[in-house]
């Protein structure tokens, strides 16, 4: 299975074609004090809709991330458990289209059961000021394991 892509490369996920427009590398210091690393690819389809896939978040699987509304997130979070391994402060480096990214983000991950997805997440990018850190807009997402992803 191919686990890395280049900007401009086309990939297919569940019969839907995307182009890779950005590559973000995350280095997260999680709530347990451990460092977790992964690569996230910003994808865009022919209609301009974006999605993200990450490799390294959960074993040898890709995770596909999609935005949801704050209201839907708040409803779903009631039955979710925090994932301390996927929660903390991340340093991010990027190439191509950085999308919403800044070099630092606060991430909270949650495990869910019996849903169309496996994770919920909040990603809030941070802006470093001269004497303070300013939190920016929060992005609410679902994460779904893609076990049958095969793009070689």
């Amino acid at each position: 299975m191919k686990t890395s892509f280049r900007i401009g490369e086309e990939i297919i996920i569940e019969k839907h074609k995307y182009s890779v427009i950005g590559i973000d590398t995350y280095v997260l210091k999680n709530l347990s004090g451990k460092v977790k690393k992964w690569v996230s690819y910003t994808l865009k389809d022919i209609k301009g809709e974006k999605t993200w896939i990450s490799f390294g978040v959960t074993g040898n699987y890709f995770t596909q991330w999609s935005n949801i509304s704050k209201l839907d997130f708040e409803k779903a979070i009631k039955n979710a458990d925090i994932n301390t391994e996927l929660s903390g402060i991340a340093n991010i480096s990027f190439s191509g289209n950085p999308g919403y990214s800044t070099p630092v983000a606060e991430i909270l991950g949650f495990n869910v059961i019996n849903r169309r997805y496996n994770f919920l997440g909040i990603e809030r990018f941070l802006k470093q000021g001269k004497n303070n850190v300013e939190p920016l807009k929060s992005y609410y997402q679902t994460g779904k394991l893609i076990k049958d992803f095969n793009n070689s």
Side-chain angles (χ1 to χ4, degrees):
M1 171 177 71
K2 187 171 183 175
T3 59
S4 64
F5 303 99
R6 296 176 324 241
I7 292 176
E9 194 169 347
E10 291 189 344
I11 63 174
I12 298 172
I13 302 171
E14 297 177 346
K15 300 179 184 177
H16 200 94
K17 186 189 273 187
Y18 297 94
S19 292
V20 177
I21 63 168
I23 302 171
D24 298 352
T25 302
Y26 284 72
V27 179
L28 176 84
K29 186 162 186 183
N30 67 26
L31 295 178
S32 302
K34 296 179 183 169
V35 174
K36 186 161 184 67
K37 299 177 184 180
W38 68 87
V39 177
S40 180
Y41 299 92
T42 304
L43 309 177
K44 189 179 198 180
D45 68 11
I46 196 152
K47 296 178 185 175
E49 299 291 323
K50 289 184 182 178
T51 189
W52 300 265
I53 59 171
S54 300
F55 188 81
V57 172
T58 331
N60 289 322
Y61 298 113
F62 275 94
T63 305
Q64 183 176 12
W65 301 95
S66 300
N67 286 330
I68 61 170
S69 71
K70 181 178 180 181
L71 182 62
D72 288 341
F73 181 86
E74 288 173 345
K75 288 178 189 175
I77 199 79
K78 292 177 183 175
N79 297 317
D81 295 321
I82 192 160
N83 183 323
T84 58
E85 192 174 317
L86 296 178
S87 297
I89 301 293
N91 290 298
I92 308 163
S93 58
F94 28 76
S95 60
N97 182 326
Y100 313 124
S101 297
T102 65
V104 181
E106 169 186 48
I107 298 173
L108 292 174
F110 299 87
N111 299 321
V112 294
I113 300 171
N114 299 324
R115 300 279 180 155
R116 295 181 323 268
Y117 46 85
N118 306 94
F119 304 103
L120 287 165
I122 302 172
E123 187 168 18
R124 182 166 58 176
F125 294 99
L126 305 172
K127 180 180 177 184
Q128 179 67 50
K130 188 173 183 175
N131 296 315
N132 67 339
V133 174
E134 181 184 339
L136 302 174
K137 180 180 175 183
S138 295
Y139 294 92
Y140 304 93
Q141 298 184 329
T142 61
K144 176 177 69 169
L145 292 177
I146 307 174
K147 295 185 178 181
D148 61 353
F149 183 69
N150 186 4
N151 231 9
S152 31

